[in-house]
Structure formats: C-alpha cells, structure tokens
Amino acid sequence: MTTRPEPKYRPPTWSEVVDLAVAEQHDADIPSNVGSIRNMPLSTVPYQLPESVNHSTMDFDKDIEKGSAPESIASKNEAEEAIEENDPNIVFWDGGDDPLNPMNWTPFRKWGTVIVVSAITFLTPLASSMFAPGVPEVMETFHSTNQMLEGFMVSVYVLGFAFGPLIIAPLSEMYGRLPLYHSCNLLFIIWTIAAAVAPNMSAFIVFRFFMGCFGGAPLVLGAGTIADLISREQRGTAMSLWMMGPTLGPCVGPIIGGFLTQAKGWRWDFWFVVILAGAFFVMSIGLMRETSAPIILERKAKRLRAETGNPRLRSKLASDLSPSDLFKFSIVRPVKMLTRSLICFSISIYVGITYAYLYILFTTFTTVFTGQYGFSGGVAGLSFLGLGTGSLLGQFIFTHYGNRMASERIARGDFKPEHRLYIMAIGGFFIPIGLFWYGWAVQAHTHFMVPIVGTGFIGLGLLMTFMPANTYLVDVFTVHAASAMAANTVLRSLMAALIPLSSQKMYAVLDYGWGNSLLGFVALLLVPIPFLFIRYGERVRERSTVKL
C-alpha cells in the first residue's frame, strides 16, 4: 500500500502575504495565516529597493506611497529561513492535511461559517436604515420637533462605525476572531433591545451609537474569516456573497421597516432585528470555530509547552508585536495617513462626501415621499428601491469591467494603481446627474417613479465611487493598505453621521430642487479628482514624503 507523500511547506509569496493581510483588514507587518512581511526573505521583495536602504541592517528611510519595500522587513536570508524550517521548536501545521488548519475543514463547516458570517454582515447595514420610515413616529413618541435630531437618530449608527472597528481589529489580532464575533454579536443584541425600549430621545441616540460600534464587527472580521477558510480559487464566490450584505442591507431595511412600522409601530423594527440577530447568534455558536491561524497555532504551542515542559516551543506565525503596538498601528497609522498623504486624504474626502449623500437620502426619503406624494408609512419604504437597484448595478459594473480592465493591464505589464480609477471617473458623473434629476422631479411633483429612477443613478454612482477607491488605496499602499482603508472608513463615517444633520434645514430654505442642486454642484466639483489622479497620481507618489 502506497501512502501519499506529505506536502512540503512552501513559503508564501509577497503577493500572498499582502493579499491575505488586506482581506483580513490589517497591515501586512502583522501576521496572517501565511505569516507577515516581517519574516520574509529579502529575495521575495518584488521590486527594486531604494538607494536609501542599508542592505546590511535593512533600516529603511522611505515613503510608503513610492512602492518601496516596507521598513519592517527583517533581514533574514535564505539560510536563516532554512534554519527556521528545521528548528524543532517551531510549531506549525502537521502536514498538509492537519485538521486544525481551517483550510482542511469539511465543506459543510466551511460554507456554513461563510453563510453565518454573511447573514450577520447583512444584518448590520439592515439595522442602520430599517427604522428610517418610522422616524416621524419616533419623533412623535418622544415629543420632539428638533429637525437635527430627526436626521441624527438615523446617522448616529454609522458614527459607531468610525470608532468600533479601531478597537475590534487589534483585539481580534490578540484574542482571535471568534471571541470578538460572539461578544460583539451579544452586545449588539443588548444595545438593540435597549433601543427598542428607550424611554427618551437622548437614550435612544446613545443606544443607536453603541449598536453601530458593535454591529461593525462582521464588517471588520468577515473578509478575514473567508480568507481563513476558502482557497484563492473559490474566494471570489464567498466574497461576493459576503459583499451582498453591505450593498443590499441599507436599501432592503427601509422596505421591511416601512410595512413593519405601519403594522406594529417603530419599536418593532428593533425587535425584528433582535429576533434575527438572536437566531444568527445561536447559529454562530453552533457552527463557528476559531479560524485565525496565528491564534490556533499559538494555542497549539501553549498546549505543547505544557505537555512537553519545553518553554522554547513557539508558533511559526507568532507576532513580535506587543498589544500596545497593535493598538498604536490600528489607531495612529490611519490618522497619519489622513494628515500626511495627499492621495489618502483626497480619496477619503471624495468618498466621505458621497457617503454622506447616501445618509442624507436615508434621513429625508420618508419626509419627501410622504409629504410630496402622500405615501403611507409602509409604501414609503419602497422609495428606497431605486437606490438599491442602482447600487446593485454599480457593484456588477465594477466587479465585471473594473477587474477586467485591471487584469488586462497586469497581463500587458504596464499596470499602475491609477488604472483602478477609470470606473470611478465614470461613476462620478452619475451622482450629480441623479441629484439634479431627483431634486427637480420632486420639486415639480412629477410621477413618483421619476425621482425614484433619479435615485437609481445616485446609487449607481455611489458604488462606482466606493469600490474603485478602496482597490486604489490597496494598490497604492500595499503593505499599509489596511491603515489607508481604516482612514477612509473613519472619515466617511464621521461625514455620513454629521453632514446629514443640516439636510432638513437645507431643504426648508432651498426646497428640494435647489437643495439637491447644491449637493449636485458639490458633486460636480469632486468629479475631476479621479481624473487628476489618473493624470498626476504617479507623479504625486514619486514626490511625496509620507512616512509612518
């Protein structure tokens, strides 16, 4: 009987380390399932090192936008790599079929976990806008006429997205994904219950904020979980399933919430979320296991140290970063990105303003379509259909055409990060078109489908802006891409929470035609940004002095 030879461990390539780090939403100098760039041999670096590098000490004085090798690469050579591979004190997988490795789990457990994570991710954005059609009832319940609070009670949820992920991400690196999933899911349920029974407006807003803080966990952890479980060949399918939540959730939520508010009252919007979240929480306890390889191997090394009495045993993926360093990287690096990088700041401003438009619509749709068209509470939720349809179309266009354009450039060997922005440049025109269309259609009291079609153009433009912006930041910052994306997320969440506060006053003064035209003119001023970076982005990166 012949036995299958044990697969030989193959050191990861540079692109594998960076790609997996991006999927797990941390910088590539923090270990992932295939290690980190800290312990990669110098020969794997895919580009010429700058003259400022001291090759003997690998002390880098470089700019993170220039594509130079990261300062955190250790000075290991191939001989040192070989020594580590043969070191009996290194703890790693027991061959290619090690059942501890999440990549070797059964298809049922793998895809069951993906489905649960996707369901939780869908629930988070669903809860952000589900009660939007019930805002007038909330105002009546709490005897408030403050128009600023009317918008803030919706947008405060996304304010939690600006702060929660900064804490959740480093904690997941220290303690694993599973404890963060379970604890955040439970806390999300608790704060949702609190919102459902809130006694006054102030308490309700505070509870909504904490819902957003803990509800953001699957958005931080989901892509990393999928990367832990699914091979690169099948990962696209799983990621598409996971991405449907952030795309559909904010638009499906108001449709459900509109009819539920009419039938049972606004508090039942939150009880509905509690019921779904509770069911998903029970499913997660039954189906989900820890998937982070560094955490699994660290637990294995700890168990072996106890069993053998050998204190020198250590995980191959062990990090030399202290908890304080992880928090510093998670919080300080994004701030530095925003304040020191023209590219990161400009793209984040563009995305932040367009994201704010989304929440301006969320906070005003109910008032517009009930006041201008006489929609009932339930039917008012259907006014979000145009936005959702446009968003789905935008995601399809980017996924199909954006990736194809980049792949063609890569195959020709002349790819630059700026090639990601062609889709964004086109999408930027749809936002002002949609805003002008929607605003003046409402102003003229046209058939209700006319402004809804206009919002479809807005949704199309939003997705064609968001997604290319993220991939551009990944391609520009590579090793530090997660910090750049975190900077983008923090700024856009702050702007989406705060800018809509003035939307009701704006419409009261300018009405819907000129009010949306004002937004459209601002969107027109932003249209040149991707064109400028397509033309001058490479030159900006060559002359920049951004250091972390």
Side-chain angles (χ1 to χ4, degrees):
M1 177 179 177
T2 59
T3 59
R4 185 174 60 180
E6 181 179 294
K8 188 178 186 303
Y9 170 72
R10 177 183 63 80
T13 64
W14 174 277
S15 63
E16 287 174 336
V17 173
V18 173
D19 288 349
L20 189 55
V22 169
E24 294 179 351
Q25 299 191 44
H26 59 71
D27 289 344
D29 53 2
I30 296 173
S32 64
N33 283 13
V34 294
S36 78
I37 50 90
R38 286 176 174 268
N39 55 14
M40 292 191 68
L42 185 59
S43 60
T44 62
V45 179
Y47 33 62
Q48 184 67 34
L49 296 174
E51 295 179 0
S52 57
V53 175
N54 183 326
H55 291 73
S56 61
T57 63
M58 295 295 289
D59 179 22
F60 288 81
D61 177 19
K62 52 82 195 173
D63 184 331
I64 60 172
E65 290 181 352
K66 286 186 172 64
S68 54
E71 56 191 336
S72 52
I73 295 182
S75 56
K76 286 186 178 180
N77 55 33
E78 299 291 351
E80 288 173 319
E81 280 286 305
I83 291 173
E84 183 177 280
E85 287 300 312
N86 297 319
D87 187 345
N89 293 317
I90 295 295
V91 177
F92 199 51
W93 306 121
D94 296 332
D97 296 326
D98 189 342
L100 285 179
N101 188 343
M103 286 287 185
N104 296 325
W105 289 0
T106 64
F108 173 79
R109 171 157 286 179
K110 280 187 178 185
W111 287 99
T113 301
V114 170
I115 290 172
V116 171
V117 170
S118 299
I120 298 172
T121 307
F122 170 75
L123 183 62
T124 295
L126 180 86
S128 73
S129 59
M130 183 172 174
F131 92 107
V135 166
E137 282 197 19
V138 179
M139 299 294 288
E140 183 178 345
T141 299
F142 296 134
H143 309 291
S144 175
T145 58
N146 190 319
Q147 292 183 334
M148 185 174 292
L149 290 180
E150 186 175 353
F152 191 55
M153 71 170 72
V154 177
S155 63
V156 69
Y157 185 91
V158 79
L159 188 63
F161 287 176
F163 297 100
L166 294 179
I167 305 299
I168 293 170
L171 287 177
S172 69
E173 304 298 335
M174 289 187 283
Y175 303 109
R177 307 194 203 285
L178 194 64
L180 269 297
Y181 272 122
H182 290 340
S183 59
C184 289
N185 287 347
L186 180 60
L187 288 168
F188 176 75
I189 293 171
I190 290 172
W191 289 112
T192 305
I193 293 173
V197 298
N200 54 60
M201 179 69 78
S202 298
F204 178 74
I205 289 176
V206 171
F207 299 153
R208 281 276 294 172
F209 170 75
F210 284 110
M211 281 178 63
C213 283
F214 297 106
L219 299 174
V220 177
L221 305 173
T225 300
I226 292 171
D228 293 340
L229 295 169
I230 309 298
S231 65
R232 298 181 82 180
E233 293 75 19
Q234 296 179 304
R235 197 174 296 162
T237 301
M239 290 294 286
S240 297
L241 177 64
W242 179 72
M243 279 297 296
M244 292 300 288
T247 303
L248 286 178
C251 302
V252 173
I255 298 173
I256 300 173
F259 289 102
L260 190 58
T261 298
Q262 187 178 35
K264 303 290 289 183
W266 68 266
R267 294 186 188 271
W268 261 96
D269 292 339
F270 293 91
W271 289 119
F272 178 81
V273 173
V274 168
I275 293 169
L276 283 182
F280 295 154
F281 182 53
V282 172
M283 290 171 61
S284 69
I285 292 175
L287 285 174
M288 295 181 69
R289 298 291 183 269
E290 183 57 64
T291 62
S292 174
I295 298 298
I296 295 172
L297 289 173
E298 184 56 43
R299 292 174 182 172
K300 180 180 179 181
K302 182 179 181 180
R303 174 174 54 81
L304 291 175
R305 285 194 296 267
E307 292 176 355
T308 63
N310 180 2
R312 294 186 298 276
L313 291 172
R314 64 188 186 279
S315 164
K316 184 177 180 64
L317 302 181
S319 173
D320 57 355
L321 296 174
S322 66
S324 61
D325 283 338
L326 285 172
F327 271 101
K328 181 180 70 174
F329 292 163
S330 178
I331 296 172
V332 175
R333 279 183 175 177
V335 174
K336 287 184 177 181
M337 291 282 195
L338 277 179
T339 56
R340 300 182 183 182
S341 169
L342 176 62
I343 287 176
C344 185
F345 178 76
S346 301
I347 294 295
S348 298
I349 284 289
Y350 194 160
V351 171
I353 292 175
T354 54
Y355 200 59
Y357 289 164
L358 179 65
Y359 276 83
I360 287 175
L361 297 180
F362 282 162
T363 56
T364 59
F365 264 2
T366 302
T367 302
V368 170
F369 284 93
T370 56
Q372 298 289 99
Y373 292 97
F375 282 14
S376 65
V379 178
L382 296 176
S383 61
F384 290 78
L385 274 176
L387 200 60
T389 303
S391 298
L392 275 177
L393 182 59
Q395 182 176 355
F396 169 79
I397 290 174
F398 171 77
T399 302
H400 182 71
Y401 293 102
N403 290 338
R404 189 174 73 178
M405 289 168 58
S407 298
E408 290 175 354
R409 290 284 187 174
I410 292 172
R412 287 161 49 181
D414 62 350
F415 173 77
K416 296 186 296 185
E418 286 71 30
H419 292 140
R420 297 284 191 185
L421 298 179
Y422 288 118
I423 293 292
M424 186 176 181
I426 298 171
F429 287 100
F430 288 105
I431 297 174
I433 290 172
L435 287 168
F436 292 135
W437 185 323
Y438 164 69
W440 289 106
V442 171
Q443 181 83 18
H445 292 273
T446 61
H447 188 274
F448 67 85
M449 278 303 300
V450 178
I452 288 178
V453 171
T455 63
F457 281 94
I458 299 173
L460 175 64
L462 290 175
L463 263 291
M464 291 175 68
T465 299
F466 295 162
M467 301 187 75
N470 282 337
T471 55
Y472 177 63
L473 291 176
V474 170
D475 287 332
V476 168
F477 294 100
T478 56
V479 171
H480 300 106
S483 291
M485 294 171 70
N488 187 332
T489 300
V490 169
L491 187 61
R492 84 181 187 198
S493 298
L494 288 172
M495 297 180 76
L498 300 177
I499 290 178
L501 299 183
S502 60
S503 57
Q504 294 284 15
K505 289 185 177 179
M506 177 187 69
Y507 287 137
V509 173
L510 300 177
D511 217 333
Y512 296 111
W514 283 111
N516 285 289
S517 293
L518 175 62
L519 301 180
F521 289 132
V522 174
L524 277 176
L525 292 175
L526 297 175
V527 165
I529 288 180
F531 287 98
L532 290 173
F533 278 117
I534 290 172
R535 181 68 178 86
Y536 301 108
E538 186 175 18
R539 192 179 307 174
V540 171
R541 289 188 284 115
E542 289 174 351
R543 296 180 179 180
S544 65
T545 55
V546 182
K547 300 178 183 178
L548 293 182

